[in-house]
Amino acid sequence: MGEVRQEQYVAIGVGTEKYAIRIHDIEEIIRMQEITKIPNVQAHIKGVINLRGRIIPIVSLRHRFGLSEEEYSKDTRIVVVKYTDEMIGIVVDNVSQVTTFTDIQPPPETFGDIKGSFFSGIGHVDEELVSILNLDKVLQQ
C-alpha cells in the first residue's frame, strides 16, 4: 500500500490574517519588484511585471479582500501561481512557511465580510485555523 501523502500548502499573510495556497499551484515566490501599471483593468489588478521575459499580471489580494493598500515592506512577496495555463502574480504581505493540515473543513457560507467562495476550505494546524484560497474565485475577473 502506498503511503497517504498530505497535500502541502504555503502559508501567506495578508493584513492580520493568514491564508494558504496549495504548493502544487505555486510556480515561484519572488521579492516585490516594480509593477508596470496598465490602464482600463479591474482595480484589483495592479499591473504587470516582466519575469525572465514573461509578462505576468499582478493581482492585489489586499484589494480583492477589501483591505486598504499598504506600503510594501521587505516582507512583501509576489506569489506566482499557475492559473488556466498562464502565470499570475499575487501580492501578499508575507510568506511564512510550508505546512500541511491535519484537518480541512468546508468554508462557512459567509466569511466575515469576504464571500466564502474565495476559500476552498479551512485548514487546521497547531490549534490555528487557516483559510485555503480558492484561486479560481480569487483570480477570476
Short mmCIF file of all heavy atoms in Angstrom, two decimals, residues 113-138:
data_model
loop_
_atom_site.label_atom_id
_atom_site.label_comp_id
_atom_site.label_asym_id
_atom_site.label_seq_id
_atom_site.Cartn_x
_atom_site.Cartn_y
_atom_site.Cartn_z
N ASP A 113 -16.59 39.58 6.20
CA ASP A 113 -17.21 40.35 5.13
C ASP A 113 -16.64 39.95 3.76
O ASP A 113 -16.80 40.64 2.79
CB ASP A 113 -17.04 41.85 5.37
CG ASP A 113 -15.61 42.23 5.66
OD1 ASP A 113 -14.74 41.33 5.62
OD2 ASP A 113 -15.35 43.41 5.92
N ILE A 114 -15.97 38.81 3.72
CA ILE A 114 -15.45 38.32 2.45
C ILE A 114 -16.31 37.13 2.04
O ILE A 114 -16.61 36.28 2.86
CB ILE A 114 -13.98 37.83 2.60
CG1 ILE A 114 -13.10 38.98 3.07
CG2 ILE A 114 -13.46 37.26 1.30
CD1 ILE A 114 -11.72 38.54 3.48
N LYS A 115 -16.70 37.09 0.79
CA LYS A 115 -17.50 35.96 0.33
C LYS A 115 -16.74 34.66 0.54
O LYS A 115 -15.58 34.54 0.19
CB LYS A 115 -17.84 36.11 -1.15
CG LYS A 115 -18.84 37.20 -1.44
CD LYS A 115 -19.28 37.11 -2.88
CE LYS A 115 -19.16 38.37 -3.68
NZ LYS A 115 -18.09 39.29 -3.41
N GLY A 116 -17.43 33.68 1.12
CA GLY A 116 -16.80 32.39 1.39
C GLY A 116 -16.25 31.72 0.16
O GLY A 116 -15.39 30.86 0.23
N SER A 117 -16.76 32.12 -1.00
CA SER A 117 -16.32 31.48 -2.24
C SER A 117 -14.85 31.73 -2.54
O SER A 117 -14.26 31.04 -3.35
CB SER A 117 -17.17 31.96 -3.41
OG SER A 117 -16.96 33.33 -3.61
N PHE A 118 -14.24 32.72 -1.91
CA PHE A 118 -12.81 32.97 -2.10
C PHE A 118 -11.97 31.85 -1.48
O PHE A 118 -10.78 31.78 -1.67
CB PHE A 118 -12.38 34.30 -1.49
CG PHE A 118 -12.65 35.49 -2.36
CD1 PHE A 118 -12.71 36.75 -1.80
CD2 PHE A 118 -12.84 35.38 -3.72
CE1 PHE A 118 -12.96 37.87 -2.59
CE2 PHE A 118 -13.07 36.48 -4.53
CZ PHE A 118 -13.14 37.73 -3.95
N PHE A 119 -12.63 30.99 -0.69
CA PHE A 119 -11.91 29.94 0.03
C PHE A 119 -12.44 28.56 -0.33
O PHE A 119 -13.63 28.37 -0.49
CB PHE A 119 -12.03 30.17 1.53
CG PHE A 119 -11.62 31.56 1.92
CD1 PHE A 119 -12.56 32.52 2.23
CD2 PHE A 119 -10.29 31.92 1.89
CE1 PHE A 119 -12.17 33.81 2.53
CE2 PHE A 119 -9.90 33.22 2.18
CZ PHE A 119 -10.84 34.16 2.51
N SER A 120 -11.53 27.62 -0.47
CA SER A 120 -11.95 26.25 -0.77
C SER A 120 -12.11 25.45 0.52
O SER A 120 -12.69 24.38 0.52
CB SER A 120 -10.93 25.57 -1.69
OG SER A 120 -9.67 25.55 -1.07
N GLY A 121 -11.57 25.98 1.63
CA GLY A 121 -11.70 25.28 2.89
C GLY A 121 -10.95 25.98 4.00
O GLY A 121 -10.27 26.98 3.76
N ILE A 122 -11.12 25.45 5.20
CA ILE A 122 -10.42 25.96 6.37
C ILE A 122 -9.52 24.83 6.88
O ILE A 122 -10.02 23.75 7.22
CB ILE A 122 -11.41 26.36 7.50
CG1 ILE A 122 -12.50 27.29 6.98
CG2 ILE A 122 -10.66 26.97 8.68
CD1 ILE A 122 -12.01 28.64 6.51
N GLY A 123 -8.22 25.09 6.88
CA GLY A 123 -7.28 24.07 7.34
C GLY A 123 -6.97 24.26 8.81
O GLY A 123 -6.98 25.37 9.33
N HIS A 124 -6.69 23.15 9.47
CA HIS A 124 -6.42 23.16 10.90
C HIS A 124 -4.98 22.72 11.12
O HIS A 124 -4.60 21.64 10.68
CB HIS A 124 -7.39 22.19 11.58
CG HIS A 124 -7.45 22.38 13.05
ND1 HIS A 124 -6.81 21.55 13.91
CD2 HIS A 124 -8.09 23.30 13.80
CE1 HIS A 124 -7.04 21.96 15.17
NE2 HIS A 124 -7.82 23.02 15.12
N VAL A 125 -4.18 23.57 11.76
CA VAL A 125 -2.80 23.19 12.05
C VAL A 125 -2.38 23.84 13.37
O VAL A 125 -2.57 25.03 13.58
CB VAL A 125 -1.84 23.60 10.88
CG1 VAL A 125 -1.85 25.09 10.65
CG2 VAL A 125 -0.43 23.13 11.15
N ASP A 126 -1.86 23.04 14.28
CA ASP A 126 -1.39 23.54 15.59
C ASP A 126 -2.36 24.52 16.24
O ASP A 126 -2.00 25.66 16.50
CB ASP A 126 -0.04 24.26 15.44
CG ASP A 126 1.01 23.36 14.82
OD1 ASP A 126 0.88 22.13 14.96
OD2 ASP A 126 1.94 23.89 14.19
N GLU A 127 -3.57 24.11 16.48
CA GLU A 127 -4.57 24.96 17.16
C GLU A 127 -4.95 26.20 16.36
O GLU A 127 -5.63 27.07 16.86
CB GLU A 127 -4.05 25.43 18.54
CG GLU A 127 -3.65 24.32 19.48
CD GLU A 127 -4.79 23.37 19.76
OE1 GLU A 127 -5.87 23.83 20.17
OE2 GLU A 127 -4.62 22.16 19.55
N GLU A 128 -4.47 26.31 15.13
CA GLU A 128 -4.73 27.50 14.35
C GLU A 128 -5.58 27.12 13.15
O GLU A 128 -5.41 26.04 12.57
CB GLU A 128 -3.39 28.09 13.88
CG GLU A 128 -3.51 29.45 13.29
CD GLU A 128 -2.14 30.03 12.94
OE1 GLU A 128 -1.19 29.28 12.66
OE2 GLU A 128 -2.03 31.26 12.94
N LEU A 129 -6.50 28.02 12.77
CA LEU A 129 -7.30 27.80 11.58
C LEU A 129 -6.77 28.71 10.47
O LEU A 129 -6.51 29.89 10.70
CB LEU A 129 -8.77 28.13 11.86
CG LEU A 129 -9.44 27.22 12.88
CD1 LEU A 129 -10.86 27.69 13.15
CD2 LEU A 129 -9.45 25.77 12.40
N VAL A 130 -6.59 28.15 9.29
CA VAL A 130 -6.04 28.90 8.17
C VAL A 130 -6.98 28.72 6.97
O VAL A 130 -7.33 27.60 6.61
CB VAL A 130 -4.62 28.39 7.80
CG1 VAL A 130 -4.07 29.16 6.62
CG2 VAL A 130 -3.69 28.51 9.00
N SER A 131 -7.37 29.84 6.34
CA SER A 131 -8.25 29.77 5.19
C SER A 131 -7.45 29.42 3.94
O SER A 131 -6.44 30.05 3.65
CB SER A 131 -8.93 31.13 4.97
OG SER A 131 -9.61 31.50 6.14
N ILE A 132 -7.92 28.42 3.21
CA ILE A 132 -7.24 27.98 1.99
C ILE A 132 -7.86 28.71 0.81
O ILE A 132 -9.08 28.65 0.60
CB ILE A 132 -7.38 26.45 1.83
CG1 ILE A 132 -6.75 25.75 3.04
CG2 ILE A 132 -6.73 26.00 0.52
CD1 ILE A 132 -7.09 24.29 3.15
N LEU A 133 -7.02 29.43 0.07
CA LEU A 133 -7.54 30.22 -1.05
C LEU A 133 -8.04 29.35 -2.18
O LEU A 133 -7.41 28.36 -2.55
CB LEU A 133 -6.45 31.16 -1.59
CG LEU A 133 -5.99 32.27 -0.65
CD1 LEU A 133 -4.98 33.15 -1.35
CD2 LEU A 133 -7.16 33.12 -0.18
N ASN A 134 -9.17 29.75 -2.73
CA ASN A 134 -9.72 29.13 -3.94
C ASN A 134 -9.28 30.03 -5.10
O ASN A 134 -9.90 31.06 -5.37
CB ASN A 134 -11.24 29.08 -3.82
CG ASN A 134 -11.90 28.53 -5.06
OD1 ASN A 134 -11.28 28.43 -6.12
ND2 ASN A 134 -13.15 28.15 -4.93
N LEU A 135 -8.19 29.67 -5.77
CA LEU A 135 -7.60 30.54 -6.79
C LEU A 135 -8.58 30.83 -7.93
O LEU A 135 -8.57 31.91 -8.50
CB LEU A 135 -6.30 29.94 -7.33
CG LEU A 135 -5.14 29.91 -6.34
CD1 LEU A 135 -3.91 29.31 -6.98
CD2 LEU A 135 -4.83 31.30 -5.79
N ASP A 136 -9.43 29.85 -8.26
CA ASP A 136 -10.41 30.10 -9.32
C ASP A 136 -11.26 31.31 -9.02
O ASP A 136 -11.51 32.15 -9.87
CB ASP A 136 -11.34 28.89 -9.50
CG ASP A 136 -10.64 27.74 -10.21
OD1 ASP A 136 -9.62 28.00 -10.88
OD2 ASP A 136 -11.12 26.61 -10.11
N LYS A 137 -11.69 31.44 -7.76
CA LYS A 137 -12.56 32.56 -7.40
C LYS A 137 -11.75 33.85 -7.18
O LYS A 137 -12.17 34.92 -7.56
CB LYS A 137 -13.35 32.24 -6.12
CG LYS A 137 -14.37 31.14 -6.31
CD LYS A 137 -15.56 31.65 -7.12
CE LYS A 137 -16.73 30.72 -7.10
NZ LYS A 137 -16.61 29.58 -7.96
N VAL A 138 -10.59 33.73 -6.54
CA VAL A 138 -9.78 34.90 -6.24
C VAL A 138 -9.30 35.57 -7.53
O VAL A 138 -9.24 36.79 -7.62
CB VAL A 138 -8.57 34.52 -5.35
CG1 VAL A 138 -7.59 35.68 -5.23
CG2 VAL A 138 -9.06 34.10 -3.97
#
